[in-house]
Amino acid sequence: MFIDETTIKCRAGDGGRGCRSFRREKYEPWGGPNGGDGGKGGDVVLQGDTDQNNLIDFKYKPHWNGERGEHGQGGDCTGREGRPAVLRVPLGTIAYHRETGEVIGEVLEDGQILVLLKGGKGGMGNTKFKSSTNRAPTKTGPGLPGEIGEFRLELKSIADIGLVGFPNAGKSSLTNLITKARPKTAPYPFTTLHPQIGVIEYPAEYERLVLADIPGLIAGASDGKGLGHRFLRHIERCKLLLIIIDLAGTDTRDPRDDYKQLLKELELYDKSLLKKPRLVAANKMDEEAAVVNLKKFKKRYPKVELVPISCLSEAGLPKLRKELLKRVLKLRAKENKSPSPAT
């Protein structure tokens, strides 16, 4: 099961109470106070973890509590701080306040920490209340309560490539062939019911690319039809869009109209998606109709960059893999390029 949105209820740990204690040692009749402070309560934090790929852990365990801080002890000993509640989340997780909808923050890097709730401060021991006029204070401070809150977690996958296409265009088959993911493949629409994250390996180059395959889009997806529109958030952070088209024109479809409709649905969801670099994979080139349709497609869209492939015969897949690596590395270099020093 793939969960990309869920709600959690959290409570940070309360602070420990301060200690009331006095020194009682031989030959020290006026030893004075020596009560230690209480420990701070444990925070509730999100931590990025590359080993996680969805939010299913929080679907069935929505309650998370930080540990209470230990109470102070005699001998000026401060109580131990409470252990934090660490929620390990996949990269690309965004946290919202459930009531206000305010964005708390997002986790984008492995090991990154995002504090949702802070633990309560520990109370002061009676040592802290000692003064020139009060040499034997009995007053102590109570530990402050930890923060409480409800949050909505939403996942926007971080991938190098976002795979988009109509149902039955061959998305799942392509994902099976070029990545280690194994989504369901079958000769009927909507075999992909939730996003699939796959890794394309390049052993010779010591590189790997992450591909996000979302459920197929259909006309009217922006109005809530089908499944794909709900999951388009998973390609918002992709560097490159890979659009797969059924060039054979199955079910009397026109590949040219399919491409136009896909771009329209992307634009209706978020216009910025059209600004992303994209590459078209022309699938089912093993069929005669696809050869004819390819010429028509190039005539209408002469500037579209296209790689002919066949998921059945696996023709064109090595070229597609190389092209994807070449483009993504170029985009990575562009992102990492440091700005020129000011003159």
Side-chain angles (χ1 to χ4, degrees):
M1 182 180 293
F2 183 91
I3 303 296
D4 63 350
E5 188 174 340
T6 190
T7 301
I8 56 174
K9 299 178 181 180
C10 306
R11 176 170 185 157
D14 298 336
R17 296 192 304 270
C19 176
R20 182 179 64 183
S21 176
F22 294 90
R23 289 174 56 198
R24 288 178 173 82
E25 300 178 14
K26 192 175 183 180
Y27 309 120
E28 291 285 345
W30 305 101
N34 69 345
D37 298 340
K40 175 182 173 296
D43 299 334
V44 178
V45 302
L46 301 183
Q47 181 175 359
D49 188 347
T50 53
D51 291 333
Q52 304 293 325
N53 62 8
N54 73 89
L55 301 172
I56 192 170
D57 290 346
F58 312 105
K59 175 71 173 178
Y60 300 107
K61 185 184 177 184
H63 297 273
W64 294 80
N65 300 324
E67 185 185 30
R68 188 199 69 187
E70 283 189 349
H71 302 316
Q73 301 176 25
D76 290 319
C77 293
T78 301
R80 179 179 61 81
E81 291 189 358
R83 287 186 291 270
V86 180
L87 286 64
R88 300 185 184 279
V89 297
L91 306 189
T93 299
I94 306 174
Y96 301 86
H97 271 298
R98 186 180 181 186
E99 292 184 359
T100 64
E102 177 188 359
V103 177
I104 306 299
E106 51 187 330
V107 179
L108 301 176
E109 299 178 0
D110 186 39
Q112 178 186 341
I113 296 293
L114 174 64
V115 179
L116 293 182
L117 299 173
K118 292 184 178 181
K121 185 178 179 180
M124 292 188 295
N126 64 337
T127 302
K128 294 290 180 66
F129 294 95
K130 180 180 178 181
S131 68
S132 59
T133 58
N134 186 3
R135 307 301 296 172
T138 58
K139 182 179 179 181
T140 61
L144 298 179
E147 297 177 336
I148 302 174
E150 295 187 24
F151 304 92
R152 181 172 63 87
L153 302 182
E154 178 181 286
L155 174 62
K156 292 184 179 180
S157 301
I158 298 178
D160 298 303
I161 305 163
L163 180 58
V164 182
F166 278 110
N168 262 6
K171 294 190 297 81
S172 297
S173 298
L174 180 60
T175 302
N176 260 316
L177 290 168
I178 66 174
T179 77
K180 292 187 176 182
R182 292 296 176 262
K184 180 181 178 180
T185 57
Y188 54 81
F190 298 113
T191 53
T192 301
L193 300 178
H194 55 76
Q196 296 283 341
I197 306 298
V199 177
I200 309 175
E201 298 281 1
Y202 296 87
E205 293 83 4
Y206 299 100
E207 291 286 351
R208 59 170 50 188
L209 306 181
V210 179
L211 179 141
D213 171 18
I214 67 169
L217 295 175
I218 62 173
S222 57
D223 296 324
K225 296 181 180 179
L227 299 170
H229 188 262
R230 176 194 165 193
F231 297 113
L232 277 174
R233 70 166 77 107
H234 293 283
I235 64 170
E236 288 183 25
R237 292 193 173 107
C238 293
K239 297 178 178 63
L240 174 71
L241 294 183
L242 178 60
I243 300 179
I244 185 167
I245 302 291
D246 177 5
L247 259 290
T250 308
D251 300 327
T252 67
R253 302 181 66 90
D254 188 332
R256 297 169 297 180
D257 293 338
D258 284 354
Y259 180 69
K260 180 180 179 181
Q261 187 64 46
L262 284 171
L263 294 185
K264 180 181 178 181
E265 295 300 334
L266 293 177
E267 181 181 19
L268 290 172
Y269 176 79
D270 186 349
K271 291 183 179 179
S272 65
L273 291 178
L274 294 186
K275 297 179 182 179
K276 289 183 176 292
R278 55 181 180 265
L279 178 67
V280 174
N283 191 24
K284 304 187 181 181
M285 292 304 300
D286 52 284
E287 299 187 27
E288 294 182 4
V291 178
V292 177
N293 288 331
L294 179 61
K295 296 178 181 178
K296 296 179 180 178
F297 189 92
K298 288 183 176 180
K299 186 175 181 180
R300 180 183 291 190
Y301 302 106
K303 296 183 179 180
V304 171
E305 297 176 283
L306 182 147
V307 177
I309 65 169
S310 170
C311 291
L312 182 63
S313 66
E314 301 186 17
L317 295 185
K319 180 180 179 181
L320 178 63
R321 284 171 50 90
K322 291 181 181 179
E323 192 65 26
L324 291 174
L325 179 63
K326 173 185 173 183
R327 290 169 182 266
V328 171
L329 290 181
K330 186 176 180 180
L331 292 170
R332 285 179 183 174
K334 188 176 180 180
E335 288 181 355
N336 297 331
K337 186 178 181 181
S338 57
S340 57
T343 56

